Each structure stands twice: as structure tokens, then as C-alpha cells.
Amino acid sequence: LRGSKSFTAALPGEAERNGHGLSYKSVSVGHLEAPPLSPSRLSLGRASSIATSTAAQEQGRPRDYLVLAIFSCFCPVWPINVVALVFSIMSRNSGQQGDLDGARRLGRMARLLSIVSIVLGTIIIVLYISLSVR
């Protein structure tokens, strides 16, 4: 005679999960797995885990201010705006490698240098135009 490899076990919370009043479930050895959720517990409004994790990464990604740094390159303060562009590219690379703190720090520096470059460039342009008109 051969013995059975199945048994009956009480699973905690089983009555709440499967929607029935049964607190025991018969399973086979080697096939212990979580019971399927009832259709009333399925979440139809949620996206897949891949889409959710991608959206979370996009939302948490620090800004690199590349467009602002490129715009600052048109100002006549070349050493500052070139450094801002370099910091912006370094911020983008750090973000792609997963160093979010470094990417935020470099992005803030790129933003600061870009704004300084635009302000100084605007002052230089205004001074040049006002002095050449006289």
C-alpha cells in the first residue's frame, strides 16, 4: 500500500481570501502556493508591474537641465556656459547609471551655472548695445 502525499492544512486568513467559509485547504506536497485571489479582489485599474516601475523611475529621475545649458551656450560668457553644459551631461550620465543623488547635485550645479551665464550674458549684451548706440 502506498501512502498519500497530500494533506489538509489550515491557512491563516484563507476564509477571507477565497470568499468561502472554509478554513482548511487540501494541497499536495511540493505544490504549496498562494491561493488565487477572488475576482472581486483583482485590481483592474492598475497598470502592469513593468509599466508601473518604469513610470516610477521616470518620475523619480532628476532633471539634468540640458536644454537650459544648451540655451546658455548662446550667451557671450563662454567659460561658464561650457562648464554648465559639461555638468548637465555629467548629470544625465549619473542618472542613467543609477546615481540619483549625484545626478541631482550635478543637475543643480548645471542649472545654477546656466542661470548665471544667461544673466551675465544678458548684462553684457545690454551694456554692449547701450554703449555702441551713443
Side-chain angles (χ1 to χ4, degrees), residues 2 4 7 19 30 35 47-48 56 64 82 95 106 114 116 121 124 126-128:
R2 191 170 179 187
S4 173
F7 61 92
S48 70
D64 56 8
V82 171
L106 292 167
S114 296
V116 167
I124 289 172
V126 167
L127 285 175
Y128 180 77

Side-chain angles (χ1 to χ4, degrees), residues 33-53:
E33 57 185 298
L37 296 175
S38 65
S40 63
R41 299 227 182 210
L42 291 177
S43 177
L44 298 176
R46 293 181 63 186
S48 70
S49 62
I50 295 171
T52 305
S53 64

Side-chain angles (χ1 to χ4, degrees), residues 52-71:
T52 305
S53 64
T54 305
Q57 288 176 353
E58 291 295 323
Q59 184 180 10
R61 174 184 278 172
R63 296 194 53 191
D64 56 8
Y65 300 100
L66 184 62
V67 174
L68 184 64
I70 291 172
F71 179 71

Side-chain angles (χ1 to χ4, degrees), residues 68-70 72-88 109-121 124:
L68 184 64
I70 291 172
S72 72
C73 287
F74 292 105
C75 294
V77 189
W78 289 303
I80 296 173
N81 53 21
V82 171
V83 173
L85 183 64
V86 169
F87 272 105
S88 175
M109 184 59 73
R111 179 184 63 189
L112 174 70
L113 290 174
S114 296
I115 290 172
V116 167
S117 175
I118 291 170
V119 169
L120 288 177
I124 289 172

Side-chain angles (χ1 to χ4, degrees), residues 95-110:
Q96 289 175 348
Q97 292 175 356
D99 181 17
L100 299 181
D101 291 333
R104 277 190 201 96
R105 180 179 48 82
L106 292 167
R108 283 193 302 258
M109 184 59 73

